[in-house]
Amino acid sequence: MPRDSLTARYSAVVSRLFESSPLRKRSFRLFYFGSVGAALGYTMQATIAAWLMATLTPSEFMVALVQTASTAPTLLFGLFAGTLADIVDRRRLILVTQIGLLAATLLLGVATLAGVVGPASLLLLTFVVGAGFTFYLPAQQASINELVPRVELPRAVALGAVAFNVARAIGPALAGAVAAWLGSGSALVASALFFVVMIVAMRKHKRRDIALPGVPERLLSGAMSGLRYARHSPAMRSFIVRNLSFAVCASALWALLPVIARDELGLGAGGYGLLSAAFGAGAVAGALWLPRHLQRRSLNVVTLSGVGLWTAALLLVAATRYTAIALVGAFGCGMAWVLVFASLSAATQSTAPAWVRARAVSMNLVAVQASLAIGSALWGALASAAGVRISLAVSAGALVLLHIINRRVVVEMGKEADVTPGAQLPELTITGEPLPDDGPVLIQIEYRIDASNRDAFLRAIRLVGPTRRRNGATSWRVYRDLGEEGRYVERYVIASWAEYVRLRSRMTMADSRLQEQVAQLQRPGVPIRVSRLLGVDMATAETEPEAANAP
């Protein structure tokens, strides 16, 4: 049978098999399998690294530092990783990170087999692996939007959670089995090979066009744009607060799981892998249940139910000395983990526009991983001083307290208008095109508002301010003319001409609607006047005779 015919038949069978799933699309399917491979490699490495440290030293604090070494790179590089994923080719970035992960994990495995690895070198190479995964994850998550329709985004993100948590279920168990059979070094070498899957998958992935025209953003200015967006986006602030509140307390289980297996339950490497697998199995169950749960209930209810489930399950793990009951608790914790993090991830990707999506993802990852890094050290120190069970119980109580304090923080899924680009803006009418770095740029918009519309105008223009700021304005304010009744001036400043061009392209349909509501209150028959003023370099002007003699 001809090869083309076999390929067509295979594609038809796969499409029928995944008819109601995003996996019916070949591009997403290849990407998904690559994500599973990368997650397997990472979770196996993390599992063996934690157990290896437990065999190298009896210190609970040193064991907990493995989690810190794995997650601290996100705190240091996370925002820059998201910026890179927004301004460069994500395919190339994913390829480079996978090659780095392969090399670092393989080196750790070879060093372990040679018997030359110690606590310091283990922490160092675990940090390198964490750094590679930090630069990979925002690019991977932000790429999902490019591969599936928006209506299927929650399901695709949930499938991504399944991929990572299938790896949590299979990876630790597989790593534990290989470590028990052949040793930790062989398990690390095996984990390194899984990164090859994503390398192969990326060869089939098409290059993404840069979302915005004009001069590409630089790394530092792009990072600042991402921070500015988060600061002036109420939705992003809510996601970050929820992630912080949960992750800083949930880190206790991951930091102390090897110690729980070793000291509280008297288990070996295989038992530790079994506990991790139970967590992963619960996460898979939560990810499969999540899309339907999000359809029936609000995002806020889903995340709060995850918090409640985590608290109950963690207390069960803390209280029991029986492995079977601990496995049930670990399963519940895994389910709660996905209910919180996967739902907040889907909401982030549904809310952030394309130009800042990877940065939005990375900022939530920074919040989570920073909390895991700091929390791991905190709960590890508390466990060393007061015991593992006390540390777990205190973390559960802190989680409940934080969510009571933040009860007014509401999280919601984004609407299509939040991310859809606004209407095509008219071409700029200017006498000459400034250079990209020229600036700052002052935008002045003059309105004439009748007295009867004054209050409505002020309410409407107040909503425009945050959109200007998160799209690029460094300052924004509205002024009232003391010499002319009803004249109001909106003024905002952008750092450079290139940033202003990007600001115009960043407007979404939701932003445009807010501006239309303001425009509708303009006095009939009087046009809105827009002025664009470019900052003058006074140091240069003083050296020019014409400028010096000007009135």
Side-chain angles (χ1 to χ4, degrees):
M1 184 177 292
R3 182 177 177 180
D4 292 345
S5 178
L6 285 173
T7 303
R9 180 172 295 183
Y10 167 76
S11 299
V13 170
V14 171
S15 297
R16 287 196 299 270
L17 182 62
F18 299 117
E19 184 176 0
S20 60
S21 169
L23 290 172
R24 70 183 182 278
K25 298 180 179 297
R26 183 173 181 272
S27 57
F28 180 73
R29 189 165 61 248
L30 290 172
F31 181 80
Y32 181 75
F33 291 148
S35 301
V36 172
L40 271 172
Y42 180 71
T43 53
M44 287 181 66
Q45 187 278 336
T47 301
I48 296 304
W51 181 255
L52 184 58
M53 182 63 81
T55 63
L56 293 173
T57 174
S59 170
E60 291 90 348
F61 182 67
M62 289 298 292
V63 173
L65 279 182
V66 174
Q67 177 76 5
T68 301
S70 181
T71 56
T74 303
L75 176 62
L76 298 174
F77 313 124
L79 183 56
F80 294 106
T83 305
L84 271 180
D86 276 329
I87 65 178
V88 304
D89 180 16
R90 288 176 187 155
R91 174 182 175 274
R92 181 175 298 176
L93 181 58
I94 291 173
L95 279 171
V96 170
T97 57
Q98 295 306 292
I99 293 171
L101 287 165
L102 171 64
T105 307
L106 192 60
L107 178 60
L108 181 58
V110 172
T112 303
L113 287 171
V116 297
V117 70
S121 58
L122 174 58
L123 289 175
L124 175 61
L125 286 172
T126 298
F127 181 88
V128 172
V129 171
F133 208 74
T134 293
F135 279 89
Y136 156 73
L137 206 53
Q140 183 264 342
Q141 292 195 12
S143 297
I144 295 176
N145 289 67
E146 303 165 14
L147 299 172
V148 300
R150 180 177 175 80
V151 69
E152 294 185 344
L153 180 60
R155 187 175 298 177
V157 172
L159 280 171
V162 171
F164 192 78
N165 289 290
V166 163
R168 276 195 194 279
I170 299 175
L174 180 59
V178 175
W181 181 32
L182 298 175
S184 298
S186 298
L188 286 166
V189 172
S191 69
L193 299 179
F194 281 99
F195 295 115
V196 176
V197 182
M198 180 58 97
I199 294 174
V200 174
M202 281 294 98
R203 295 181 62 187
K204 305 290 185 181
H205 190 66
K206 294 181 179 179
R207 179 172 179 170
R208 176 186 72 100
D209 293 331
I210 301 300
L212 294 178
V215 180
E217 290 183 279
R218 297 187 179 97
L219 187 61
L220 183 58
S221 63
M224 296 304 296
S225 294
L227 289 172
R228 183 170 54 241
Y229 175 84
R231 178 186 175 188
H232 297 289
S233 170
M236 276 298 302
R237 293 199 302 270
S238 297
F239 299 147
I240 291 172
V241 167
R242 286 293 187 196
N243 274 314
L244 281 170
S245 300
F246 185 76
V248 73
C249 300
S251 63
L253 180 65
W254 279 117
L256 298 172
L257 196 59
V259 182
I260 295 169
R262 185 189 66 189
D263 297 343
E264 305 300 325
L265 300 175
L267 302 174
Y272 169 55
L274 189 62
L275 278 175
S276 298
F279 183 98
V284 171
L288 293 174
W289 184 50
L290 180 61
R292 183 174 298 179
H293 200 39
L294 282 173
Q295 289 177 354
R296 295 179 177 178
R297 294 174 176 83
S298 69
L299 177 68
N300 205 54
V301 170
V302 171
T303 55
L304 289 177
S305 65
V307 169
L309 178 58
W310 177 275
T311 303
L314 185 63
L315 290 175
L316 188 63
V317 173
T320 188
R321 293 188 180 275
Y322 297 99
T323 301
I325 297 177
L327 290 173
V328 172
F331 182 92
C333 285
M335 197 169 185
W337 183 277
V338 166
L339 287 179
V340 175
F341 286 134
S343 59
L344 290 175
S345 178
T348 299
Q349 294 182 54
S350 70
T351 301
W355 69 270
V356 76
R357 185 170 295 130
R359 275 166 281 191
V361 168
S362 70
M363 280 183 279
N364 273 301
L365 290 173
V366 168
V368 171
Q369 299 297 347
S371 299
L372 289 175
I374 296 169
S376 295
L378 173 66
W379 304 121
L382 181 59
S384 296
V388 172
R389 298 181 186 278
I390 295 297
S391 183
L392 293 177
V394 171
S395 74
L399 178 61
V400 173
L401 179 61
L402 283 174
H403 278 77
I404 290 175
I405 293 173
N406 296 322
R407 63 186 180 276
R408 295 185 179 179
V409 177
V410 178
V411 289
E412 298 176 331
M413 294 291 289
K415 300 178 177 63
E416 187 170 1
D418 295 330
V419 298
T420 304
Q424 183 67 35
L425 294 174
E427 293 293 329
L428 294 173
T429 304
I430 53 179
T431 57
E433 182 74 17
L435 295 174
D437 290 332
D438 285 350
V441 180
L442 170 65
I443 306 301
Q444 181 169 289
I445 308 174
E446 299 181 21
Y447 303 95
R448 300 299 195 280
I449 306 298
D450 292 332
S452 59
N453 290 330
R454 177 183 179 277
D455 292 341
F457 168 79
L458 293 177
R459 287 194 298 269
I461 198 72
R462 186 181 295 116
L463 298 177
V464 170
T467 70
R468 306 285 197 202
R469 290 179 180 272
R470 66 174 176 251
N471 286 340
T474 58
S475 64
W476 176 88
R477 190 157 188 171
V478 175
Y479 297 84
R480 176 172 61 89
D481 191 339
L482 296 178
E484 181 182 341
E485 184 65 29
R487 180 174 180 262
Y488 292 87
V489 178
E490 177 191 3
R491 303 180 74 185
Y492 58 96
V493 176
I494 305 96
S496 67
W497 182 255
E499 190 68 16
Y500 173 63
V501 173
R502 287 192 286 265
L503 178 144
R504 284 167 51 87
S505 302
R506 288 169 179 170
M507 284 199 308
T508 64
M509 290 298 296
D511 298 340
S512 297
R513 289 173 185 173
L514 292 176
Q515 295 176 29
E516 288 170 5
Q517 291 173 8
V518 173
Q520 289 172 0
L521 299 171
Q522 173 77 358
R523 183 177 299 161
V526 180
I528 296 174
R529 183 184 176 188
V530 180
S531 301
R532 302 173 182 86
L533 297 90
L534 189 65
V536 176
D537 187 345
M538 297 306 298
T540 302
E542 290 173 0
T543 65
E544 298 177 1
E546 296 83 2
N549 297 326

